[in-house]
Amino acid sequence: MSCAIFLSMKEKNPWLLMDHDGTLTDSDLEAREYREIVLDYMSSELGVPREEMKVLLERADAEIESKKEIYGWKIGDIFVAPATSDHYVKNTVAGSMALEMLAKESTSMKQFTDPAEVEKFVGQVFRASSSKLGVFYKWEAERCLRELNKTGRFMIITNSDPKVVLNKMTKLLGDDALDFSIVGNAKKYLPDPTWTGVVPEGMYKGFPGFPERGVNLQRKIYYMTLLDITSGAETALVLSATTPAWENNYYYRGEGKRFTSGNLNKITDWFLR
């Protein structure tokens, strides 16, 4: 998942804000371990042989990769992220598809013809699997964190529980991790269709090259989390292997207040320039 760092120009001494998962962590290494954990959990909970479960998830992966413009993670009936945005999302979408396959192929799995049951179970899979995932930071992460935190104006804003992030950072930084400000549970993916008058409403399709499925921008909690500290922000987009072309093209237009790189050292230097 490609993530942004925000530099707020609202105050005389601006704040530096950064995401955690997928920005500081190595998504490729995480993805390999996470899939194995997901496989173990789904096989055990459903009573399906592990190899059979693996084949179903691989079938789902192939379908997603062949039609990236179609598939995405849904909360209710709303697409909140592309299926390939990160390994958590991809496994959630692939897991949902695998459950639908099982419902068609096995009489003992008919409960998964109900979308609510599918959503409930893949939520269980995420919670159980993510809690077992190891810690995989990018090689540049320590330098990035230490240098930015020296400014005294650095904060991490994340979807995750701040205690979970602190535990991971402690494995990288030791007790120095306690010196960092972490704002968690930002709920970046949670849409609120009742929140109107601020961002485009409904499934917005105005981004050049964006998939036809559109995207819902009514993320009130995340918006309010950032509102007070990102006015007039400079931003850097952390590129990854899964960054879609439309996103990079739309974001980076040669503006001085925007920067892109897949290397955290280059992004750190840009913000400290």
Side-chain angles (χ1 to χ4, degrees), residues 92-272:
T92 295
V93 178
S96 299
M97 294 168 69
L99 293 175
E100 291 165 3
M101 294 175 199
L102 282 171
K104 292 178 182 177
E105 299 168 10
S106 173
T107 56
S108 64
M109 301 290 176
K110 290 304 178 187
Q111 74 269 31
F112 295 123
T113 57
D114 180 355
E117 287 296 318
V118 171
E119 188 172 322
K120 178 181 177 182
F121 185 80
V122 295
Q124 289 177 216
V125 174
F126 168 75
R127 289 187 292 274
S129 301
S130 59
S131 66
K132 297 176 183 177
L133 185 64
V135 180
F136 302 95
Y137 279 103
K138 294 177 180 177
W139 67 269
E140 324 100 293
E142 182 174 358
R143 185 245 173 182
C144 175
L145 284 167
R146 291 188 184 280
E147 290 296 319
L148 294 181
N149 205 43
K150 284 179 184 177
T151 66
R153 299 171 280 103
F154 180 63
M155 182 184 300
I156 289 174
I157 297 185
T158 172
N159 271 347
S160 301
D161 184 321
K163 293 179 182 178
V164 172
V165 172
L166 177 59
N167 287 338
K168 289 183 178 182
M169 290 176 59
T170 299
K171 290 180 171 61
L172 179 69
L173 305 171
D175 289 342
D176 290 346
L178 296 170
D179 296 332
F180 286 75
S181 297
I182 304 171
V183 175
N185 302 309
K187 299 188 184 298
K188 303 173 189 178
Y189 289 126
L190 186 64
D192 181 357
T194 66
W195 184 52
T196 60
V198 180
V199 297
E201 299 163 20
M203 298 307 290
Y204 182 67
K205 301 180 181 181
F207 298 112
F210 191 83
E212 185 62 26
R213 65 173 174 267
V215 61
N216 189 291
L217 300 175
Q218 292 163 277
R219 318 287 174 100
K220 182 178 181 179
I221 294 176
Y222 187 41
Y223 179 91
M224 298 306 293
T225 300
L226 296 176
L227 181 63
D228 291 336
I229 43 181
T230 59
S231 176
E234 292 186 350
T235 63
L237 183 67
V238 183
L239 302 177
S240 73
T242 61
T243 305
W246 76 264
E247 184 176 322
N248 193 21
N249 293 337
Y250 179 80
Y251 171 81
Y252 189 65
R253 295 171 291 195
E255 297 178 10
K257 293 173 68 175
R258 299 186 182 194
F259 183 71
T260 63
S261 177
N263 186 295
L264 286 178
N265 280 334
K266 291 182 178 179
I267 286 176
T268 302
D269 292 339
W270 186 75
F271 276 116
L272 295 176

Side-chain angles (χ1 to χ4, degrees), residues 20-22 24-37 87-88 128-138 164-165 167-169 171-172:
H20 182 267
D21 299 331
L24 293 162
T25 60
D26 189 319
S27 294
D28 291 336
L29 294 178
E30 285 182 332
R32 287 195 284 273
E33 179 169 302
Y34 188 70
R35 170 52 67 88
E36 295 302 308
I37 297 170
H87 58 278
Y88 296 113
S129 301
S130 59
S131 66
K132 297 176 183 177
L133 185 64
V135 180
F136 302 95
Y137 279 103
K138 294 177 180 177
V164 172
V165 172
N167 287 338
K168 289 183 178 182
M169 290 176 59
K171 290 180 171 61
L172 179 69

